[in-house]
Amino acid sequence: MCASEAKPDSSCFFFQKGFAAASFHSKMSTIGGAGGENDSKEEWNEFEWSEDALSIIENIEEQSYQMHPSIKQEEGDGGEGSFAAEFYRCGTEWSCLSPAAEVVEPSHSRNLKQANLWQMWGQNKPSSLSSPPPQKKLKLSQFCSQAASSSPKHNRPRACPFYKRIPDTGFSVDAFRYGPIPGCSAYFLTHFHYDHYGGLTKGWSHGPVYCTPLTARLLTICLSLDSLYIHPLELDKEYVIQGVKVTLLEANHCPGAALLHFRLPTGICYLHTGDFRASKLMQAYPLLANNRVNVLYLDTTYCNPKYKFPSKEDVLSYVVRVTKSSLKKQPKTLVVVGAYSIGKESVYLAISKALGVKIYANNSRRRTLKSFGWPDLSTNLCTQATDTCLHVLPISSLRYETLKDYLKNHANQYAAVLAFRPTGWTYSEGLGRELDLIKPSTRGNITIYGVPYSEHSSFTELREFVEFLKPDKIIPTVNVGNPDNRDKMQSHFREWLKG
């Protein structure tokens, strides 16, 4: 699957992680048939991402699948059933959980072993619980109609999920869509992707927002957020906020993305990855190499053994090689790279440098890109589409009919389109790391390559990062809505932490 932007004409509003969210991927088995990813793609391609649609999808993630009947029956007993109900719908603050869930002191933490999520929070999993029954196949229109009833616009405001709160602090992470959160006095934003900043608007007044300087600029440019609430924090610099030592580290995701490291006065350390692509370089971060991390909030977008992406460098080399080969065969080829409002810049920068050509993007995207303060990028942007053969479009525009119409507008210059859709969702197990096995989709003079350029960690990279970090506990932050997914991830975690 590939990602599409919520509002293709604006580079400041979009939706990351697949057609909806990576956490929504498993839900797609109910649309177009079980496991019918290819069937559902066409429906998703025709779907317009409205604010309501995004809200529905986000609500599904946080409210989880339909609660199992046994959970509903136990909800009011104040015991494990109550915990089960809260955990399964992911709609509770950490403080609502059992005191047994508190993190132990560092001196005792080495004796901990990653258990399943019930044990992790000091609970025993009730034997009566099981995965929800298979759901009836739904057409997209039917699905959205049914899901709309659970949208926050139709129900009481959602509570902030516990995995967006940092225990024993007044901090939340990427939790802006819940209104003023009780007990929260500092809101942290890991990066400027809609599924993380959603809820931030011009009228935000619930508390200070902490983020990197680049993300801070985007909040001002794209959302017109009141500067009184924006507090930029430089990377690799320690700050003391409400008595907690806070350090932001490069996340290797999109521009401005950061890992958040919190060290409490008690010595307990939390690391929240936001979205990130783990790399060997992170093992050289002094803060991570020299300090124990007690609890790791982990981006588990691709926490599945089938995802073993090639390196970014290998994918970029492949893209350049394909581009040069295509231009050699047809010099009048228009090269198009699909991108989110931010992210994937390295793909079109690599082509630009290899061909010695400028990069065309619309006014809104140019303004966003220039705010990065990257000379290599800013000096290579051009304002006229006719001045270069390299164009950047929203990734949602990489469809045959759209590209066909786009080519018509440039028919006096170009005879064909070569487009790249760079996203991890294009990866397949059969491909492995053999990029030359990629088969493009071609219709007439339109060719589209799906290339596995991911800005999230592969399964292998997640394992290596966890084995290096050796946290006491791991809290997955993506794909948590399905109990089967949670169990599988916990199984992986236990294996990784054995050493």
Side-chain angles (χ1 to χ4, degrees):
M1 298 178 74
C2 63
S4 64
E5 299 194 357
K7 297 184 178 180
D9 293 333
S10 170
S11 69
C12 292
F13 295 90
F14 74 107
F15 200 69
Q16 167 82 347
K17 291 181 183 171
F19 286 104
S23 55
F24 188 60
H25 184 242
S26 57
K27 188 71 176 178
M28 290 302 91
S29 62
T30 64
I31 300 178
E37 181 181 21
N38 293 331
D39 294 335
S40 64
K41 281 182 181 180
E42 294 303 319
E43 290 189 271
W44 282 113
N45 280 334
E46 298 301 323
F47 189 62
E48 292 294 333
W49 286 117
S50 65
E51 294 292 339
D52 286 339
L54 293 175
S55 184
I56 290 169
I57 291 162
E58 293 148 7
N59 198 37
I60 289 170
E61 166 66 4
E62 288 153 11
Q63 300 301 329
S64 183
Y65 280 35
Q66 293 180 353
M67 287 168 48
H68 191 278
S70 62
I71 300 176
K72 291 182 180 179
Q73 294 169 2
E74 298 170 346
E75 187 170 359
D77 65 7
E80 292 178 354
S82 176
F83 172 84
E86 294 293 347
F87 183 82
Y88 264 68
R89 69 171 175 256
C90 297
T92 180
E93 294 182 14
W94 184 297
S95 60
C96 295
L97 301 179
S98 167
E102 293 180 359
V103 182
V104 299
E105 292 295 327
S107 59
H108 303 292
S109 62
R110 291 310 301 151
N111 296 323
L112 290 178
K113 292 184 179 180
Q114 182 72 21
N116 61 46
L117 283 172
W118 298 91
Q119 294 171 333
M120 188 169 116
W121 298 112
Q123 301 284 341
N124 293 319
K125 182 175 180 179
S127 58
S128 61
L129 292 180
S130 61
S131 301
Q135 297 186 353
K136 182 179 179 181
K137 298 177 184 178
L138 299 174
K139 287 292 185 182
L140 183 59
S141 57
Q142 296 173 309
F143 166 71
C144 288
S145 176
Q146 292 185 17
S149 63
S150 64
S151 173
K153 289 190 176 182
H154 301 278
N155 285 327
R156 60 184 174 84
R158 289 170 287 173
C160 176
F162 69 85
Y163 54 85
K164 291 181 178 287
R165 298 295 302 270
I166 303 300
D168 301 318
T169 73
F171 300 166
S172 67
V173 177
D174 298 339
F176 302 98
R177 65 184 77 258
Y178 311 100
I181 301 173
C184 182
S185 52
Y187 295 78
F188 286 82
L189 175 59
T190 58
H191 64 288
F192 195 77
H193 276 166
Y194 182 79
D195 52 328
H196 293 256
Y197 75 71
L200 276 174
T201 64
K202 182 178 181 179
W204 174 267
S205 61
H206 301 320
V209 178
Y210 295 93
C211 57
T212 63
L214 193 157
T215 300
R217 292 195 293 273
L218 292 172
L219 291 176
T220 301
I221 293 172
C222 297
L223 302 184
S224 300
L225 200 70
D226 189 334
S227 61
L228 291 176
Y229 292 98
I230 303 175
H231 296 261
L233 304 178
E234 297 288 345
L235 292 174
D236 303 313
K237 181 177 179 180
E238 185 179 275
Y239 296 84
V240 178
I241 301 173
Q242 299 177 15
V244 177
K245 294 180 179 179
V246 180
T247 307
L248 275 58
L249 305 169
E250 171 60 45
N252 193 31
H253 181 57
C254 67
L259 310 176
L260 307 179
H261 186 279
F262 303 99
R263 185 175 182 85
L264 276 60
T266 59
I268 298 293
C269 287
Y270 300 96
L271 180 67
H272 199 299
T273 66
D275 286 349
F276 83 131
R277 181 155 186 183
S279 68
K280 296 287 187 182
L281 183 61
M282 292 178 180
Q283 298 183 23
Y285 290 177
L287 195 60
L288 301 185
N290 301 324
N291 294 276
R292 161 75 45 185
V293 168
N294 298 104
V295 180
L296 172 64
Y297 293 78
L298 186 65
D299 168 18
T300 46
T301 300
Y302 291 111
C303 189
N304 186 314
K306 71 180 181 180
Y307 293 114
K308 299 176 181 178
F309 305 133
S311 69
K312 286 184 176 181
E313 293 74 19
D314 287 346
V315 177
L316 294 180
S317 296
Y318 173 76
V319 167
V320 168
R321 188 165 67 250
V322 169
T323 302
K324 288 182 175 180
S325 175
S326 298
L327 288 171
K328 186 175 181 180
K329 294 176 183 177
Q330 173 52 275
K332 296 179 66 176
T333 295
L334 176 61
V335 182
V336 173
V337 176
Y340 307 130
S341 59
I342 63 170
K344 317 300 182 182
E345 292 81 11
S346 293
V347 179
Y348 47 87
L349 264 174
I351 297 174
S352 172
K353 291 178 180 179
L355 302 183
V357 298
K358 297 284 188 178
I359 302 164
Y360 170 74
N362 64 21
N363 289 333
S364 180
R365 187 182 295 275
R366 286 199 309 275
R367 182 180 61 167
T368 299
L369 295 176
K370 287 181 178 180
S371 74
F372 295 175
W374 297 356
D376 284 353
L377 181 57
S378 298
T379 57
N380 277 299
L381 296 173
C382 65
T383 60
Q384 299 299 318
T386 55
D387 290 345
T388 180
C389 67
L390 177 57
H391 293 195
V392 182
L393 297 178
I395 202 166
S396 59
S397 298
L398 268 62
R399 298 160 50 189
Y400 289 109
E401 292 305 317
T402 304
L403 292 175
K404 184 178 179 180
D405 291 341
Y406 194 77
L407 180 59
K408 286 180 180 177
N409 294 332
H410 303 280
N412 59 330
Q413 278 186 285
Y414 303 105
V417 168
L418 169 66
F420 292 100
R421 180 185 287 118
T423 169
W425 295 117
T426 65
Y427 176 83
S428 66
E429 286 187 275
L431 173 66
R433 291 183 172 84
E434 300 297 323
L435 293 168
D436 288 328
L437 297 179
I438 293 177
K439 295 181 179 179
S441 298
T442 302
R443 292 185 191 175
N445 54 358
I446 308 293
T447 299
I448 303 174
Y449 276 82
V451 292
Y453 182 88
S454 178
E455 292 176 327
H456 292 269
S457 307
S458 68
F459 181 83
T460 304
E461 291 162 343
L462 286 175
R463 184 192 67 215
E464 292 177 351
F465 183 74
V466 168
E467 289 177 345
F468 153 71
L469 205 60
K470 294 182 175 62
D472 298 323
K473 295 181 180 180
I474 303 173
I475 300 176
T477 60
V478 183
N479 291 329
V480 297
N482 184 314
D484 287 339
N485 286 344
R486 294 196 297 268
D487 287 344
K488 288 176 183 177
M489 287 191 287
Q490 290 299 317
S491 176
H492 297 317
F493 299 161
R494 288 193 296 271
E495 183 67 27
W496 298 346
L497 293 175
K498 275 184 178 179

